């Protein structure tokens, strides 16, 4: 998956007065793993000093149930050993959840908005209760399922806030951890971090209905006051755009869904991890005009606009669900870092929304149940061409009834189509029509024929030398990625074979056998590409490719299988190859022409 925000630490919405730590390419990756997706309102802390102010950690110097936490810069801290620019794993987990696509791992919430940045509010913390209190505002009639997730943090992942599904109902973890009740987050005390931690979280999978959200009553006055604050410096365009986008909404829920859809699909926004939208109070206004950004821009903008509409809102920071592995676990890497808005609805509580295009998953309760915009009365017959009056009389109009019964009146249509000749269509026309029909039939089949030929060539036996074995391994991997592409999983050339394999398993929802086959081919490719003295690649790669293809077909819909066969997406490689050859041909002839012209000018007498 593409990172939420690789690039500048600020994400384009930083304060002019903030201090930003320098980051060199390929170095100190851990120091900005989530910083790439977050505003940095304060100076970055040292890697070994935690993420909170004060030398004694978040809980103060004492023990027990007191203490406060201060404004936090929620960055992920990692050891210097993670100094390569790649998507390194920071967490892995195993869960009994029926679906993992909505299992976001939440770290902390940013609930204080000063017009320039979002950050955490100074709050009291306490000992971790067991179980955790019931989520605020949750009614008993809202459907929920309790799941269990066992999480393991990498030994180099040193984060003061504990990533876990939201809302958690019980947490079992060793060490010094404290509980912040408003954000329902666990924070390390006196230098406690997630480094190498193994912990178990029970959490609730909330399944509110659209009707429950639409009928939500007004939130408590104190909560509404705190979480709808917007500064006077916020540009008027933010509130104006929010009102325009949500015009005609019957309730806050409809307003929230329209805001989400405006960013995610309807408003013409583009997901771009390199954009810099500016700084200071005008940053959100600039983002709304440019319509380019990544998760920070989308979540900050939606939360700000929701507040202008009187909907309590905050921004959550954490990770998207990660990638499925062959052993049934999920792997979460640096590039899964993400930010998203949470909006409050009485009776349901803090509710996740997903405005960022192509990132994470859109919650089921925000998807429209209306199939189309067709508002015609189904009992009203649709007008057809036969109901329209014709200026020209038909053959039946001018034909007497007795002749019409005997079939003696000819239709006007055959008279127009017959032509003036009486000997039938000429042979030349028949041949042309036949060739045209053959062309119409064959052209759509060309991608299929090309794909079959390439498949056979890649999985052919070839030679037996080490170089030939390496070539067969790379060809098998290319066949795997092209087969996944044909089934809708577009290749990502920036990923390592191992991460690409995990992505194919996750998106393709492959069962154990095909998933293991994908990873075997990826391992063989890494052996060829990266080993100092690569051994002969593993045998049986052709059989593994076949298993992957069967697995992808089994988990695809009928229409997807049909498209993968008749119109494979990987046929685009033909266009690329033709383009490359045409470019090479043009360059070759340009070089020849230049040489001949030079030779000709040398032969000409001087002064000619």
């Amino acid at each position: 998956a593409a990172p939420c925000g690789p690039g500048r630490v600020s994400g384009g919405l930083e304060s002019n007065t903030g201090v930003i730590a320098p980051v060199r390419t390929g170095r100190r990756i851990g120091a900005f793993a989530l910083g790439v997706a977050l505003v940095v309102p304060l100076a970055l802390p040292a890697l070994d000093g935690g993420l909170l102010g004060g030398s004694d950690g978040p809980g103060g110097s004492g023990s027990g149930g007191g203490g406060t936490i201060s404004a936090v810069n929620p960055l992920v801290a990692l050891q210097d050993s993670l100094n390569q620019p790649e998507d390194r794993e920071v967490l892995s987990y195993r869960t009994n959840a029926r679906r993992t696509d909505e299992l976001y791992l939440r770290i902390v919430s940013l609930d204080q908005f000063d017009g320039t940045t979002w950050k955490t509010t100074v709050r009291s913390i306490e000992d971790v209760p067991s179980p955790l209190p019931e989520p605020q505002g949750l009614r008993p009639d809202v459907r929920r399922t309790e799941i269990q997730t066992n999480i393991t943090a990498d030994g180099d992942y040193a984060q003061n806030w504990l990533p876990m599904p939201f809302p958690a109902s019980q947490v079992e973890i060793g060490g010094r951890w404290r509980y912040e009740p408003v954000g329902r987050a666990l924070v390390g005390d006196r230098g406690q971090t997630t480094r190498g931690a193994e912990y178990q979280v029970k959490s609730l999978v909330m399944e509110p209905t659209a009707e429950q959200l639409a009928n939500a009553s007004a939130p408590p006055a104190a909560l509404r006051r705190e979480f709808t604050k917007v500064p006077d410096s916020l540009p008027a365009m933010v509130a104006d755009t929010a009102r325009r986008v949500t015009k005609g909404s019957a309730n806050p829920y409809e307003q929230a869904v329209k805001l989400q859809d405006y960013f995610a699909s309807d408003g013409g926004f583009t997901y771009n991890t390199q954009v810099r939208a500016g700084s200071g109070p005008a940053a959100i206004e600039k983002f709304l005009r440019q319509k380019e950004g990544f998760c920070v821009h989308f979540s900050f903008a939606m939360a700000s606009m929701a507040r202008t509409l009187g909907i309590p809102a905050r921004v959550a920071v954490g990770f998207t669900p990660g990638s499925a592995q062959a052993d049934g676990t999920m792997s979460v890497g640096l590039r899964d870092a993400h930010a998203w808005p949470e909006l409050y609805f009485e009776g349901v509580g803090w509710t996740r929304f997903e405005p960022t295009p192509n990132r994470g998953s859109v919650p089921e309760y925000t998807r429209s149940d209306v199939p189309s915009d067709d508002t015609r009365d189904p009992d009203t017959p649709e007008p057809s061409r036969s109901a329209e009056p014709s200026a020209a009389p038909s053959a039946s109009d001018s034909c007497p009834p007795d002749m019409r019964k005997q079939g003696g009146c000819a239709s006007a249509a055959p008279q127009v189509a017959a032509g003036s000749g009486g000997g039938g269509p000429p042979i030349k026309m028949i041949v042309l029509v036949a060739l045209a029909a053959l062309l119409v039939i064959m052209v759509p089949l060309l991608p299929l024929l090309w794909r079959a030929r390439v498949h056979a060539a890649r999985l052919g036996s070839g030679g037996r030398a080490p170089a030939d074995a390496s070539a067969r391994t790379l060809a098998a991997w290319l066949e795997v990625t092209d087969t996944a592409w044909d089934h809708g999983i577009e290749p990502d050339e920036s990923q390592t074979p191992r991460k690409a394999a995990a992505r194919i398993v996750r998106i393709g929802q492959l069962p154990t056998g095909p998933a293991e086959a994908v990873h075997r081919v990826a391992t063989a490719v890494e052996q060829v590409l990266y080993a100092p003295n690569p051994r002969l690649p593993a045998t049986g790669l052709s059989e593994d490719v076949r298993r992957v293809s069967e697995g992808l077909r089994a988990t695809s819909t009928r229409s997807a299988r049909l498209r993968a066969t008749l119109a494979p997406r990987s046929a685009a490689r033909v266009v690329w190859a033709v383009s490359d050859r045409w470019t090479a041909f043009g360059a070759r002839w340009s070089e020849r022409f230049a040489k001949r012209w030079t030779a000709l000018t040398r032969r000409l007498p001087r002064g000619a």
Side-chain angles (χ1 to χ4, degrees), residues 503-581:
R503 182 169 174 267
I504 292 173
V505 171
R506 173 173 57 84
I507 300 178
Q509 298 180 344
L510 294 180
T512 303
E516 292 176 346
V518 174
H519 285 288
R520 278 196 296 272
V521 180
T523 300
V525 172
E526 289 185 338
Q527 181 67 27
V528 169
L529 294 178
Y530 306 130
N533 296 299
R535 303 185 304 271
L536 287 179
T539 59
L541 293 181
S542 297
E543 184 64 20
D544 283 335
V545 173
R546 183 187 62 79
R547 290 193 187 97
V548 174
S549 178
E550 291 176 352
L552 288 169
R553 291 184 65 83
T555 58
S556 299
T557 63
R558 181 179 299 177
S559 60
R561 292 195 298 268
L562 188 63
R563 172 168 181 175
T565 301
L566 299 179
R569 295 173 174 87
S570 61
R573 296 191 186 277
V574 177
V575 179
W576 299 343
V578 171
S579 176
D580 291 342
R581 290 184 180 181

Side-chain angles (χ1 to χ4, degrees), residues 400-414:
D402 55 339
M403 291 289 290
R404 203 162 45 235
K405 289 179 181 179
Q406 300 174 17
C409 296
S411 171

Side-chain angles (χ1 to χ4, degrees), residues 149-367:
T149 306
N150 296 327
I151 306 173
T152 301
D154 188 87
D156 290 323
Y157 177 52
Q159 164 67 265
N160 293 78
W161 296 81
L162 192 68
M164 54 188 183
F166 180 85
S169 54
Q170 186 169 356
V171 183
E172 295 183 9
I173 185 172
R176 300 179 298 275
W177 293 92
R178 310 295 296 282
Y179 178 64
E180 193 277 285
V182 176
R184 298 184 67 86
L186 263 65
V187 59
D189 186 19
R190 289 175 291 173
Q192 177 68 56
T193 71
T194 58
R195 190 192 311 277
E198 296 182 5
Y199 54 104
Q200 182 183 100
V201 180
K202 291 183 179 180
S203 60
L204 301 179
V205 176
M206 313 296 298
E207 299 180 73
T209 64
E211 182 179 5
Q212 287 172 326
L213 290 164
N215 295 331
S217 57
L223 185 145
R224 179 186 172 95
R225 280 195 305 271
E226 179 177 2
F227 293 99
T228 59
K229 289 179 181 178
V230 291
D232 295 336
S233 60
L234 189 67
M237 178 193 178
V238 178
D240 293 343
T241 304
R243 286 192 296 268
R244 174 176 58 81
V245 169
T246 61
K247 185 178 181 180
S249 300
N251 50 65
Y253 163 71
E254 288 188 12
Q255 290 177 318
V257 172
K258 286 183 178 180
L259 285 179
Q260 173 183 268
D261 293 347
Y262 172 65
F263 289 112
S265 57
D266 301 342
F269 285 82
T270 302
Y271 181 77
N272 184 349
T273 61
Q274 303 300 324
V275 70
R276 187 178 182 87
S279 61
I284 295 180
E285 179 180 13
K286 193 168 185 180
F287 166 64
L288 293 176
R289 295 187 188 279
Q290 291 181 340
K291 296 192 173 184
E292 280 189 310
F294 54 101
C295 59
V296 168
H297 305 94
F298 289 97
S299 57
F300 284 12
M302 179 171 171
S304 303
M305 293 168 74
R307 285 194 171 192
T308 67
L309 297 172
I311 305 174
R314 63 191 185 189
V315 175
V317 175
F319 298 97
T320 52
S323 305
Q325 305 299 298
D327 61 357
T329 62
M330 299 289 292
S331 174
V332 179
L334 296 178
R335 293 181 181 175
D336 293 311
H338 193 45
W340 62 92
E342 291 179 344
L343 276 59
Y344 183 87
F345 293 91
E346 186 67 21
V348 179
W350 288 104
T351 307
R352 178 179 72 87
F353 286 79
E354 185 52 87
T356 306
N358 306 318
R359 285 287 290 167
S361 62
V362 176
E364 291 286 346
Y365 46 80
T366 67
R367 296 177 182 173

